[in-house]
Every structure is written in structure tokens, then in C-alpha cells.
Amino acid sequence: MSNTSSKWYLVNTQAHQETNAELHLKRQGFVVYLPSFLRTRRHARRIDQVRKALFPGYLFIKEPTTGLSFSNVRGTYGVRKLVMQGSKPAQIDSALIKELQHRSNDDGLLDDPQLSPGAKVRFTKGPLTGLVAVLHTLNDQDRLTVLFDFLGKEMKKTVCRSNVILA
């Protein structure tokens, strides 16, 4: 998707407008990358998967081609501002973008091949340290739900992602 000589820049979006900004920037001809992941959402006794931005409030655009300029970005629906470094747009290391794109699946969603539902994880912090559990769902980038056996009964617990490792 990106080539080694391309330059990427950071765009700050309005609150919860990442996908709208992405859509409108693409319509103008910009190459846009919005790293995202699926999050399990519970609402009104319903559970569904929603797409969430990996970096809420931000997306990346490739250096504008002929006929496009950074001034077009600033006036785009859903965009708050182009992130600046002094008087120039803040350039992002293209290696970071390549790595994020490499970790994305065909739908542009970031996968974590090591932490996926069904994987065994071990608690590394807290009162359950050392206990092995089965990953049930990835709730968001910081939380996950695990299943474990407690006195012969299957228990569900939502924990901080940093508190478990792959078992």
C-alpha cells in the first residue's frame, strides 16, 4: 500500500469523526490510512463488533500529489487540523506506517495473532498471578475478557491487557 519513499503526515480529527474525515479526504483524492481494530460492544442486551480507531482523534495521510495541497486538508469535514511541527506539517516515520499496514488484515483491521480468542493466557499481576485462563474476547486496545476455572465453575473476568501474557 505504501512505498518506501512516500511521506506520511498526521491529521487531528474532530471527536469520533475519524471515519468521516477518512471518507471525505479520500473523496478529495488523498491517500489515507486509519489504523483500526474491532471492539466488542455491549448495548441494550446486544453484543456487536464495532470498528474503533487505534489512535482516537488521529489518522495519517500521504504527501499530497499534484493538484492537492495541505490547505485542502484543513477545510475537510471531520478534520480539526493538520498536526504541525513548527511551521511544517509533522512528518511520520514511514516505517511505522508500513509496520501497521503489515499487521493489518485485508479489511484494514489490525490483528494481534498472538492474542486471539481461544488463546491461553497467564496472569502476571494481581491476585490471580500465575493462573492460566482462556481469552474470550478482545474488548478494546487495553481490556480483554478471559474465562477460567474457579472451584469447578467457569468464571468470566475483564482484565487489563498488560496483566496477562501468552501462556
Side-chain angles (χ1 to χ4, degrees):
M1 188 172 186
S2 70
N3 85 40
T4 56
S5 65
S6 62
K7 295 179 182 175
W8 288 89
Y9 299 91
L10 188 61
V11 174
N12 180 224
T13 66
Q14 295 171 356
H16 309 290
Q17 294 296 310
E18 299 91 358
T19 53
N20 282 332
E22 176 189 31
L23 174 71
H24 292 285
L25 286 166
K26 283 182 176 179
R27 282 184 180 168
Q28 293 176 53
F30 287 98
V31 176
V32 181
Y33 180 53
L34 176 60
S36 51
F37 63 98
L38 285 180
R39 176 179 177 217
T40 302
R41 177 178 65 176
R42 293 173 192 263
H43 180 69
R45 289 185 259 181
R46 232 181 36 221
I47 299 174
D48 58 357
Q49 298 279 336
V50 292
R51 191 177 191 129
K52 297 296 252 178
L54 182 63
F55 305 109
Y58 295 93
L59 56 81
F60 304 100
I61 62 167
K62 201 181 263 193
E63 185 171 36
T65 58
T66 308
L68 294 173
S69 75
F70 285 122
S71 61
N72 297 83
V73 173
R74 292 183 198 107
T76 302
Y77 179 77
V79 171
R80 180 175 289 149
K81 64 182 179 178
L82 185 64
V83 177
M84 304 296 280
Q85 191 171 23
S87 62
K88 295 181 179 179
Q91 189 173 335
I92 303 301
D93 184 5
S94 61
L96 169 67
I97 304 300
K98 281 184 94 168
E99 181 61 27
L100 288 171
Q101 289 173 335
H102 177 72
R103 291 181 180 209
S104 298
N105 64 20
D106 293 339
D107 296 325
L109 297 169
L110 285 162
D111 285 333
D112 189 341
Q114 294 184 352
L115 283 181
S116 58
K120 290 189 178 186
V121 295
R122 181 182 314 279
F123 287 90
T124 58
K125 296 178 187 167
L128 301 175
T129 300
L131 183 72
V132 174
V134 175
L135 180 58
H136 184 260
T137 55
L138 297 165
N139 301 341
D140 60 29
Q141 58 204 51
D142 290 330
R143 313 276 302 161
L144 44 91
T145 302
V146 296
L147 300 171
F148 61 96
D149 184 52
F150 183 72
L151 300 175
K153 185 177 178 187
E154 188 175 81
M155 301 289 291
K156 261 188 200 180
K157 180 159 179 66
T158 301
V159 297
C160 192
R161 191 175 194 150
S162 63
N163 290 351
V164 298
I165 59 170
L166 208 55

